[in-house]
Amino acid sequence: MVYAIGFALFALGITVSVALHECGHMWAAQATGMKVRRYFVGFGPKIWSTTRGETEYGLKALPLGGFCDIAGMTALDELEPEDLDRAMYRQKTWKRLVVMSGGIAMNFLLGFLLIMLLAVVWGLPRFDQPPATQLGAMNCVQSQGPDQKYLPCTGEGPAQRAGLQRGDIVTAVNGTKIKTWEDFSAQTQKQTGPFTYTIERDGKTLSIPVTPEQAVIYPTKDGAPKTVGKVGVGHDIYLPVKYDFLAAIPASAAFTGEIGLRTVQSLAQMPAKVVDLWHAVTGGERDPETPVSVYGASKIGGETAEHGLWSLFVLTLASLNFFLGAFNLLPLLPLDGGHMAVVIYEKIRNVLRGRKGLPDGPPVDYLKLLPATYVVVVIGGAYMVLTLVADIVNPVKLFP
């Protein structure tokens, strides 16, 4: 039930994000004197609508986005004679850019507000995490029950008795070099008697003998039990940092900048991820860094809710808004960035014509840009289908 609620809430969050994106366009257009003819959430058959002023507001059957119809977005639009002077394509360059960037700004603003919420309620996660094999909290050794829940235990564990300390970095387990926490766990679980950890502590290399305890674990739900060696230690992590409201503003701004950089990097890697997605669809292991569809993102939202990780739920929704904003900045039609590129081109062209004593040129003929637009739509649509199929047959798994 919690999973279903989380799934539905995240899907609703995506719908609200897209709706507010279109609100950004609408409010900017209205503020600059343009005419907004329609604003709808969703596509397909109309469920409900009402007219306020000169704008029809409504809801359509498929909650897969939305649209804002501004009179005269291009010179191809049919206009009533009284709307000709208010046509978007006839407005000053700065007004057109403000309207086209309004949706992008709304996604960035929504993402920032979600980060603010995260900072105040749960705390901001730190990007500077400790080395992969650094030891963290230590306790007694716990076995698992058939439901994979850990059973209670008491006293000190082998790691504490051996003199290991939080912050020690393990470089080898019984002579086998390791680089990841998975390596550490796998090598430790193999041990049935006394063995040695090679560690780094305060710039020194030490060998620490440890005697493990045997514990029962269930690798998968409804799976057979397995007896492994354990020492009672976890991976060290830096906990999220909470802020009061005022302190959260600069902290959230810095955090947003870091997410923005990572978003740009992920956009640059999208073409290369096609191979990884195809590998996942054809039965290979799913790379958790591959893009996800709306369904896949909602599934992640459901899983985070099921595990009670509402902070991760909020962070994922914020990251999605930053991605939507950055993606729409790409100078490709039919994205907002493509329309902005056309406006900037017209401005530069007219400035150059003015220097030659020539009048402004005509608006860009969007019919000539249709082939390039179709290419982007087809490639983008195919990419979305590929991510959807991957999310169905081989979804990203955040939890074992």
Side-chain angles (χ1 to χ4, degrees):
M1 174 62 84
V2 176
Y3 171 83
I5 292 173
F7 185 100
L9 283 177
F10 201 89
L12 178 62
I14 294 175
T15 301
V16 170
S17 298
V18 174
L20 288 176
H21 175 97
E22 296 302 324
C23 278
H25 291 309
M26 177 179 67
W27 292 333
Q30 292 171 337
T32 52
M34 301 180 200
K35 181 177 181 178
V36 179
R37 294 181 292 204
R38 293 182 300 161
Y39 170 81
F40 274 79
V41 176
F43 293 99
K46 182 168 65 175
I47 297 177
W48 167 88
S49 72
T50 184
T51 300
R52 294 287 185 271
E54 58 188 11
T55 305
E56 180 186 9
Y57 302 88
L59 181 67
K60 296 205 171 189
L62 301 176
L64 301 176
F67 65 92
C68 171
D69 177 20
I70 303 172
M73 291 186 68
T74 72
L76 300 177
D77 283 0
E78 295 184 4
L79 296 170
E80 299 295 333
E82 63 271 17
D83 294 334
L84 189 60
D85 290 338
R86 299 175 66 192
M88 183 173 174
Y89 75 89
R90 302 186 67 177
Q91 304 304 308
K92 293 182 179 180
T93 298
W94 72 267
K95 289 186 177 182
R96 296 168 69 187
L97 290 176
V98 165
V99 172
M100 291 171 183
S101 62
I104 297 170
M106 185 61 69
N107 282 130
F108 288 152
L109 175 61
L110 181 56
F112 178 76
L113 292 177
L114 288 170
I115 295 299
M116 281 281 294
L117 175 67
L118 185 68
V120 173
V121 178
W122 294 281
L124 295 178
R126 293 177 56 171
F127 289 106
D128 57 332
Q129 288 300 316
T133 58
Q134 182 167 308
L135 302 183
M138 301 179 190
N139 49 34
C140 54
V141 170
Q142 294 177 288
S143 291
Q144 283 182 324
D147 58 358
Q148 291 189 306
K149 292 184 178 180
Y150 285 101
L151 305 177
C153 66
T154 58
E156 292 186 338
Q160 292 167 302
R161 293 195 295 267
L164 289 167
Q165 300 176 10
R166 184 168 194 161
D168 289 344
I169 300 174
V170 181
T171 58
V173 179
N174 220 28
T176 301
K177 292 184 177 181
I178 61 170
K179 294 183 178 180
T180 67
W181 189 256
E182 288 73 20
D183 294 339
F184 171 87
S185 297
Q187 291 300 321
T188 298
Q189 290 179 1
K190 292 179 181 178
Q191 310 304 319
T192 58
F195 68 100
T196 301
Y197 282 132
T198 303
I199 67 166
E200 292 182 359
R201 179 191 296 170
D202 299 328
K204 299 178 181 179
T205 300
L206 304 174
S207 294
I208 307 292
V210 185
T211 301
E213 294 180 10
Q214 299 302 300
V216 175
I217 64 171
Y218 287 78
T220 60
K221 288 184 178 180
D222 303 322
K226 180 180 179 183
T227 301
V228 299
K230 282 192 169 188
V231 297
V233 66
H235 179 223
D236 199 11
I237 59 172
Y238 297 149
L239 297 176
V241 180
K242 291 181 68 173
Y243 300 87
D244 60 37
F245 181 79
L246 291 179
I249 297 174
S252 298
F255 191 86
T256 296
E258 183 66 31
I259 289 185
L261 177 61
R262 293 172 182 237
T263 299
V264 171
Q265 292 172 342
S266 66
L267 280 172
Q269 295 170 359
M270 280 185 67
K273 294 298 182 181
V274 171
V275 175
D276 295 331
L277 284 168
W278 182 254
H279 180 67
V281 169
T282 53
E285 185 177 354
R286 180 73 183 268
D287 181 355
E289 298 297 324
T290 50
V292 295
S293 63
V294 171
Y295 168 78
S298 299
K299 189 174 184 298
I300 290 173
E303 290 178 351
T304 57
E306 185 178 33
H307 285 78
L309 299 175
W310 290 102
S311 59
L312 183 56
F313 181 99
V314 172
L315 178 59
T316 304
L317 188 56
S319 299
L320 178 66
N321 272 277
F322 291 130
F323 180 83
L324 287 174
F327 184 75
N328 269 287
L329 272 174
L330 294 176
L332 302 170
L333 290 171
L335 302 176
D336 295 334
H339 291 286
M340 294 168 68
V342 170
V343 173
I344 293 172
Y345 162 76
E346 289 181 349
K347 180 63 177 179
I348 294 174
R349 179 203 62 188
N350 290 339
V351 168
L352 294 177
R353 288 176 64 88
R355 290 178 178 177
K356 296 178 181 179
L358 300 174
D360 290 347
V364 166
D365 186 354
Y366 272 78
L367 287 176
K368 294 181 179 179
L369 298 178
L370 279 180
T373 304
Y374 289 147
V375 169
V376 173
V377 170
V378 170
I379 293 177
Y383 200 100
M384 291 175 63
V385 170
L386 182 60
T387 57
L388 177 60
V389 173
D391 288 335
I392 293 173
V393 303
N394 193 356
V396 172
K397 296 179 180 178
L398 296 183
F399 308 97

